[in-house]
Amino acid sequence: MNLILFIHQDSLKQGADLKRILDQRFKSVEVSTVQTFNAFKDRLKQISIYDKEIFILLADSTDRLKQLSLLIDLMEDKRILLILPDDSPIVVSMAHQFFPRFFTYVNDTYEDLCAVLTKMINQEKIRINHDKVKRGD
C-alpha cells in the first residue's frame, strides 16, 4: 500500500504537519510526496501494476482545488481522499466532482482522515489475505 500525498510547494507549513501525522500513524506504509502540478500530473499518468495506491490531495485554497480539478480525468478510478480549505457550498460542490472516497477539511489533527486511511489499509490487507487463501499460498 502506498500513499501519494499532493502538497503544493506553496503549502509547506500545512503540508509538513499533515506529512508528520501520516508518517507517525502509518509507519508501515510508504508515503510519497508530490509538490508541483506537473509532477502530480506525471505521477497520475504512471501505471500502477498493483493498484494499491491512495492519493491524498491537500487543497488548502479554492484556487488550488480549481487547479487540481483540471486533472480530474487523470484521477478516474483512483482512490482519492481530499482535504478541503473550508465547507462552503462551492468548495463542497467542487469536491464531489472528484468522486473522492472521503473528504475533510484542513485541521490540526486529521483524526477523521487517519481513521478512514486505517480502515482502507486494513480492508486491503484482508483482501490480500483472502486472495492468498484462494490461491493456496
Side-chain angles (χ1 to χ4, degrees):
M1 178 69 60
N2 295 332
L3 301 179
I4 312 301
L5 184 57
F6 174 79
I7 300 170
H8 194 270
Q9 59 197 4
D10 294 339
S11 307
L12 293 181
K13 161 75 172 93
Q14 292 167 323
D17 293 343
L18 174 60
K19 177 120 174 57
R20 179 183 45 76
I21 290 167
L22 294 176
D23 287 341
Q24 287 174 350
R25 295 281 298 265
F26 302 98
K27 294 180 193 296
S28 65
V29 178
E30 183 181 331
V31 180
S32 303
T33 305
V34 182
Q35 295 182 338
T36 67
F37 286 103
N38 285 335
F40 185 55
K41 183 177 181 179
D42 291 343
R43 182 63 188 85
L44 288 169
K45 288 181 177 180
Q46 291 177 3
I47 297 173
S48 171
I49 1 181
Y50 302 108
D51 191 34
K52 295 178 185 162
E53 298 170 329
I54 299 171
F55 290 83
I56 303 170
L57 313 180
L58 175 62
D60 60 329
S61 69
T62 305
D63 286 338
R64 192 107 48 235
L65 186 61
K66 287 177 184 174
Q67 290 173 311
L68 283 168
S69 72
L70 297 174
L71 303 175
I72 282 178
D73 290 345
L74 295 173
M75 293 183 223
E76 188 174 318
D77 298 327
K78 305 269 194 267
R79 291 184 259 189
I80 304 292
L81 304 179
L82 273 174
I83 301 171
L84 304 173
D86 59 60
D87 62 352
S88 67
I90 290 174
V91 167
V92 172
S93 176
M94 288 172 61
H96 285 289
Q97 295 173 12
F98 288 81
F99 296 103
R101 300 284 174 104
F102 177 75
F103 65 82
T104 187
Y105 308 98
V106 173
N107 64 69
D108 293 334
T109 64
Y110 294 106
E111 286 298 321
D112 54 351
L113 178 73
C114 290
V116 168
L117 274 172
T118 299
K119 186 173 182 178
M120 291 175 78
I121 291 167
N122 287 340
Q123 285 177 338
E124 182 66 23
K125 287 177 185 176
I126 290 168
R127 187 188 66 76
I128 289 170
N129 289 333
H130 183 263
D131 288 349
K132 285 181 181 179
V133 169
K134 281 176 70 174
R135 286 191 316 262
D137 290 352

